[in-house]
Amino acid sequence: QVQLVESGGGLVQAGGSLRLSCAASGRIFSVNAIGWYRQAPGKQRDLVAVFNSGGLTNYAESVKGRFTISRDNAKNTVYLQMNSLKPEDTAVYYCNADVTYLGNSFLRERNDYWGQGTQVTVSS
């Protein structure tokens, strides 16, 4: 079993910054991919920034140059530094991870997990 716990959301003015954190815990064997998605009301959930399974980053075009994803492998934690925030960045931000974990009898299993989401609101 794997859990993702997010923190760092809040209310900021346009042009401000926030730093989101997501910590994965459980019987983790390896984190294959991990990153951030967001969903505004009435919209689909879209990729923001991720580390893919090869360790490379992938950013949404709308956040390039403003957001930076980073990770601390020792803590199984991923961060999203968000600078120059705009009102259109307002959304619930979700952490997602593709994890290989140790199930019963230490058999390796793989699954995709989502955090509970954290609200980011950017005011004009």
Side-chain angles (χ1 to χ4, degrees):
Q1 182 175 318
V2 176
Q3 299 83 41
L4 303 178
V5 179
E6 299 142 312
S7 62
L11 173 65
V12 296
Q13 295 182 16
S17 298
L18 285 173
R19 188 189 189 218
L20 306 183
S21 299
C22 171
S25 62
R27 299 180 182 271
I28 297 170
F29 180 81
S30 64
V31 177
N32 307 302
I34 190 167
W36 296 93
Y37 294 71
R38 67 186 181 187
Q39 187 169 24
K43 303 285 188 177
Q44 69 177 24
R45 189 172 299 183
D46 292 328
L47 181 149
V48 178
V50 298
F51 287 99
N52 65 27
S53 59
L56 302 178
T57 57
N58 185 24
Y59 290 90
E61 195 69 28
S62 61
V63 308
K64 286 182 179 178
R66 299 189 297 121
F67 292 8
T68 303
I69 188 170
S70 61
R71 68 194 302 181
D72 184 339
N73 291 330
K75 297 181 178 180
N76 288 321
T77 299
V78 65
Y79 307 92
L80 185 67
Q81 179 66 47
M82 304 186 293
N83 298 325
S84 302
L85 282 162
K86 305 174 180 179
E88 49 263 46
D89 295 318
T90 296
V92 177
Y93 284 69
Y94 295 92
C95 181
N96 173 259
D98 174 13
V99 180
T100 300
Y101 64 96
L102 300 177
N104 293 335
S105 302
F106 298 96
L107 296 175
R108 298 180 192 177
E109 301 182 28
R110 185 169 177 173
N111 205 358
D112 194 61
Y113 295 91
W114 291 93
Q116 80 284 357
T118 184
Q119 178 71 48
V120 172
T121 303
V122 184
S123 63
S124 301

